């Protein structure tokens, strides 16, 4: 028996012994965490030290069994690997277990109205006050901010230093009077992301991750995991239940979230989605139309290539350093192509949505969500800049000298 076959057999046995649809979400996630299975690619004691291929076997076994997936979101995808890479033992023990078992939900407080692609231009201030820091400013596009117990926050702690040097990274408590979360409604109809206003909000000094003023290095770790996760190398398979104390899912039956959509909707494009599109084209008699057939073949090829690319990254044999960026760009291309071919297959029916629509709303969901992947986690243009500058060694974009103090740079006034 190969290692992969043994992992699959063990996973099925473990699910036979443990999966019970009558458990609450919290009880089920605790069982997964106790078994090191919320993210089995992590080293013990947090995971099982499995390869990504072994973890994928467990994911496939869960899907086949109809078991609820692991806690997902910013906590699992970004906070865990960042805290494990840069946090003290005390921080790791304080935060990681409650992310793994889904007890605490997290959001990402990075982007600001004047700092998205130019994240290092952020202006939210953090000022030291004894054992605490006082935070003032505004964040935006904060996905899941309304359900988060904590946020990974980057804030300017020293404006006298150059812009990349005066930033500190915090594990920031969201449930406090100085934090106001205002939802932003998207064209999907949902309000997945938010504006977050921080007014004299407080965070203990003990919650600094990495060094004071050394947050840019920590943020880069987060961004690296974000790109790779969006590109498809994430910890998955994530369940649709939302982690943390605020969404109210923890006490509900695990079975009730198994087949529902997560907060991002059902817009991911993988080989399952490609098969659905091929079936849809066959049903509609569109497979004989050459442009549709060619686009389906192109989509199939891109998705397969993405799978191999991810496999190479997960196996640690990536070599250029730009693989995460490429994966993220590929994800944008795949999403846009799936949207276009889906709309071409449906023709005018693509404008009709709702329970009576002939596609159950899948293509429509993809259509309204499709602009997002080329923006979040760093836009496609920014990924290309990174590949150009850091991988290909092209000259950097012109701008002020990197050692210019932040306060001497041109920017809109701070709040
Ligand atoms: C669905 C969604 C969820 C998100 N969730 C979060 C979240 O949870 N937390 C969070 O902090 N942020 C989040 N974001 C924000 C996201 O990270 C930013 O939108 C993104 O980094 C782009 O920043 P911006 O919107 O300010 O655009 P800008 O930076 O203003 O860019 C505008 C345009 O200019 C281009 N551009 C900018 N600079 C350059 C350059 N140097 N070279 C070439 N082109 C350039 C960009 O590519 C883009 O096309 C989310 C965004 C979306 C769409």
């Amino acid at each position: 028996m190969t290692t992969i076959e043994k992992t699959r057999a063990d996973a099925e046995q473990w699910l036979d012994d443990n999966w019970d649809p009558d458990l609450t979400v919290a009880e089920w996630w605790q069982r997964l965490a106790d078994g090191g299975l919320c993210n089995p690619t992590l080293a013990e004691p947090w995971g099982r030290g499995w390869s990504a291929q072994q973890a994928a076997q467990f994911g496939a076994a869960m899907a086949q069994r109809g078991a609820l997936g692991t806690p997902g979101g910013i906590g699992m995808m970004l906070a865990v690997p960042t805290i494990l890479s840069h946090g003290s033992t005390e921080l790791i023990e304080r935060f990681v277990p409650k992310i793994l078992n889904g007890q605490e939900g997290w959001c990402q407080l990075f982007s600001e109205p004047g700092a998205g692609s130019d994240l290092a231009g952020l202006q939210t201030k953090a000022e030291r006050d004894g054992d605490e820091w006082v935070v003032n400013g505004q964040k935006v596009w904060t996905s899941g901010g309304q359900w988060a117990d904590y946020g990974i926050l980057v804030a300017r702690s020293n404006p006298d230093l150059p812009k990349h040097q005066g930033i500190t990274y915090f594990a920031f408590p969201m449930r406090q009077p100085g934090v106001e979360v205002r939802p932003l409604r998207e064209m999907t109809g949902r309000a997945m992301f938010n504006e977050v206003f921080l007014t004299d909000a407080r965070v203990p000094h003990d919650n600094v991750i990495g060094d004071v003023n050394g947050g840019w290095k920590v943020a880069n770790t987060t961004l690296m995991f974000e790109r790779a996760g969006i590109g498809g190398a994430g910890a998955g398979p994530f369940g649709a239940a939302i982690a943390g104390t605020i969404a109210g899912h923890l006490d509900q039956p695990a079975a009730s979230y198994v087949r529902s959509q997560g907060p991002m909707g059902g817009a991911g494009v993988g080989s399952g989605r490609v098969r659905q599109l091929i079936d849809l084209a066959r049903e509609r008699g569109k497979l004989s139309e050459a442009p549709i057939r060619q686009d389906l073949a192109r989509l199939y090829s891109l998705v397969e290539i993405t799978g191999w690319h991810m496999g190479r990254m997960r196996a640690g044999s990536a070599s250029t350093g730009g693989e995460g960026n490429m994966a993220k760009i590929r994800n944008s291309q795949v999403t846009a192509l799936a949207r276009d071919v889906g709309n071409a297959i449906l023709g005018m029916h693509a404008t009709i949505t709702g329970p009576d629509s002939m596609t159950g709303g899948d293509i429509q969901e993809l259509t309204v969500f499709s602009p997002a992947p080329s923006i979040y986690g760093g836009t496609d243009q920014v990924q290309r800049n990174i590949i150009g500058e850091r991988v290909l060694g092209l000259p950097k974009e012109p701008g002020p000298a990197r050692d210019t103090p932040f306060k001497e740079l041109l920017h809109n006034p701070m709040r």
Side-chain angles (χ1 to χ4, degrees):
M1 204 187 243
T2 65
T3 311
I4 296 295
E5 286 164 350
K6 176 156 181 3
T7 308
R8 181 63 180 244
D10 288 350
E12 283 174 6
Q13 183 63 53
W14 191 91
L15 287 166
D16 281 345
D17 296 342
N18 287 280
W19 167 243
D20 173 356
D22 293 332
L23 291 175
T24 64
V25 170
E27 288 166 341
W28 169 235
W29 280 348
Q30 189 59 55
R31 281 195 189 181
L32 285 168
D34 292 343
L37 288 163
C38 280
N39 183 348
T41 60
L42 297 175
E44 287 181 15
W46 314 113
R48 292 189 172 202
W50 279 358
S51 70
Q53 285 85 345
Q54 286 175 290
Q57 289 304 313
F58 184 63
M62 280 213 284
Q64 197 181 45
R65 197 63 53 105
L68 176 67
T70 62
I74 300 289
M76 186 70 84
M77 187 170 138
L78 306 183
V80 164
T82 306
I83 295 170
L84 288 177
S85 302
H86 296 276
S88 61
T89 309
E90 190 271 321
L91 278 176
I92 291 173
E93 283 173 1
R94 184 145 55 99
F95 289 119
V96 170
K98 288 184 182 167
I99 301 174
L100 291 178
N101 68 10
Q103 284 293 317
E104 287 175 350
W106 286 61
C107 66
Q108 181 186 20
L109 299 163
F110 277 29
S111 303
E112 297 180 5
S117 300
D118 179 22
L119 178 61
L122 61 91
Q123 297 192 57
T124 291
K125 279 186 290 187
E127 291 163 306
R128 185 82 188 253
D129 179 23
D131 290 341
E132 293 185 320
W133 291 78
V134 181
V135 183
N136 281 285
Q138 186 197 338
K139 296 290 175 177
V140 73
W141 317 126
T142 312
S143 306
Q146 67 273 52
W147 304 302
D149 300 285
Y150 281 89
I152 40 175
L153 167 75
V154 279
R156 184 148 314 273
S157 43
N158 188 344
D160 294 326
L161 291 173
K163 76 175 181 180
H164 295 88
Q165 291 173 30
I167 292 171
T168 299
Y169 195 118
F170 300 92
F172 177 81
M174 291 289 286
R175 302 180 73 178
Q176 56 168 310
V179 177
E180 188 191 347
V181 180
R182 293 189 202 160
L184 291 168
R185 192 158 297 281
E186 309 136 42
M187 65 175 160
T188 57
R190 291 184 294 274
M192 188 259 305
F193 51 34
N194 306 268
E195 297 178 289
V196 177
F197 293 86
L198 304 164
T199 310
D200 292 332
R202 291 191 164 255
V203 51
H205 178 69
D206 286 348
N207 286 22
V208 171
I209 301 174
D211 295 328
V212 170
N213 297 324
W216 185 245
K217 184 171 149 201
V218 187
N220 268 298
T221 299
T222 306
L223 296 174
M224 184 191 75
F225 282 107
E226 184 170 30
R227 288 193 286 270
I230 293 169
F238 302 134
I242 296 172
T245 55
I246 301 172
H249 293 184
L250 294 177
D251 297 334
Q252 302 298 313
S256 53
Y257 295 97
V258 170
R259 304 223 181 271
S260 59
Q261 284 183 0
M264 302 278 276
V269 179
S271 48
R273 173 81 70 156
V274 179
R275 273 196 303 276
Q276 278 172 1
L277 284 168
I278 294 171
D279 289 345
L280 186 66
R282 187 173 290 118
E283 262 170 44
R284 301 292 177 100
K286 298 279 186 175
L287 271 185
S288 55
E289 288 186 21
I292 289 180
R293 217 173 47 234
Q294 281 169 4
D295 275 352
L296 284 170
R298 224 174 113 227
L299 183 64
Y300 175 85
S301 309
L302 276 174
V303 168
E304 291 300 304
I305 291 166
T306 304
W308 297 331
H309 183 80
M310 286 301 126
R312 203 161 62 126
M313 273 176 75
R314 289 170 182 150
S317 54
S319 55
T320 70
E323 281 79 3
N325 310 88
M326 288 191 268
K328 220 215 135 228
I329 295 171
R330 177 83 36 77
N331 181 55
S332 308
Q333 291 170 335
V334 161
T335 306
L337 184 56
R339 171 200 63 203
D340 292 348
V341 72
N343 277 278
I345 294 167
L346 288 181
M348 65 181 179
H349 293 289
T351 57
I352 302 167
T353 187
D356 294 338
S357 79
M358 301 185 76
T359 64
D362 264 14
I363 307 296
Q364 291 85 353
E365 171 73 31
L366 187 59
T367 303
V368 287
F369 188 76
S370 63
S374 61
I375 302 173
Y376 58 63
T379 67
D380 287 359
Q381 291 81 3
V382 165
Q383 304 306 324
R384 291 193 174 92
N385 284 353
I386 295 172
I387 293 170
E389 293 177 12
R390 296 193 203 157
V391 182
L392 302 176
L394 298 177
K396 286 202 170 298
E397 287 189 77
R402 266 180 90 85
D403 57 357
T404 313
F406 179 75
K407 66 181 182 192
E408 289 174 21
L409 297 174
L410 283 178
H411 47 65
N412 291 327
M414 292 198 200
R415 264 174 88 228

